[in-house]
Amino acid sequence: MARLYVLLFLLQVVLAACALISCLSAEDGTVRGLPRFAWVVVILFFPLVGSIAWFLAGRPVTEGDRRRGWPAADRRPVAPDDDPEFLKSIDERVRRDDNVLFQRWEEDLRGREEDLRRGGQPSPDGTAPPAGPASADRSPPREDAAPRDGERPRDGERPEL
């Protein structure tokens, strides 16, 4: 019989602790019935009755606690990867970045083609060819040197995927 009383006492203490934590972590203005300070006093002085009263009458009502059953289906998704608007914004951002990168590559390719067409000679308007990766260093690459940015890797240097 003594073990049952100890078990009920521990259950009462745990219930009071949960009610006290819930009361203290509730946002201001959402506590129902009494002011927060009054709920804390009731929970501390009457642990069993105060805890039960807090959970039934004082705790803030959340959307899922309403007596309608399951939460409304029109709620905002919980995770970002479940949100269609977020996924659409990521897709648009990736497309925009890809287009910018593609335009830079096309401009670079046009500049290299123009440089190759001129053969490194000055253009008809008298200006020198633009300095760039295609016209900068025309010496043969060293055998032990790694390829520079924009160069194709030599045989045997291709990275494995």
Side-chain angles (χ1 to χ4, degrees):
M1 191 65 144
R3 290 182 188 175
L4 181 62
Y5 287 133
V6 171
L7 181 65
L8 289 176
F9 175 75
L10 290 177
L11 184 65
Q12 176 182 338
V13 170
V14 169
L15 183 64
C18 290
L20 194 60
I21 290 171
S22 176
C23 179
L24 292 175
S25 64
E27 297 212 10
D28 291 333
T30 60
V31 176
R32 297 182 298 158
L34 299 172
R36 181 184 303 192
F37 177 74
W39 278 115
V40 170
V41 170
V42 168
I43 293 170
L44 288 176
F45 287 127
F46 308 103
L48 184 63
V49 176
S51 300
I52 293 172
W54 164 255
F55 284 118
L56 292 178
R59 187 172 58 153
V61 177
T62 60
E63 189 69 27
D65 287 345
R66 301 198 192 273
R67 304 259 177 202
R68 294 183 293 165
W70 293 99
D74 59 341
R75 275 190 18 194
R76 187 164 180 84
V78 177
D81 57 344
D82 292 338
D83 188 2
E85 294 175 18
F86 178 74
L87 295 174
K88 186 187 293 185
S89 70
I90 288 178
D91 189 39
E92 290 172 359
R93 188 180 333 142
V94 166
R95 256 195 241 125
R96 185 177 56 241
D97 292 346
D98 286 348
N99 286 338
V100 168
L101 184 63
F102 184 68
Q103 288 174 353
R104 287 182 189 164
W105 285 348
E106 282 185 336
E107 291 171 5
D108 185 48
L109 183 62
R110 281 191 204 109
R112 289 175 186 225
E113 286 175 349
E114 286 295 320
D115 189 36
L116 286 174
R117 282 191 195 121
R118 286 193 301 261
Q121 301 298 323
S123 61
D125 61 352
T127 60
S135 62
D137 183 19
R138 299 204 184 259
S139 61
R142 297 182 326 210
E143 290 298 318
D144 61 338
R148 291 186 221 133
D149 287 341
E151 286 184 356
R152 294 182 66 188
R154 292 181 286 280
D155 291 332
E157 291 183 3
R158 297 188 185 269
E160 295 185 25
L161 299 176

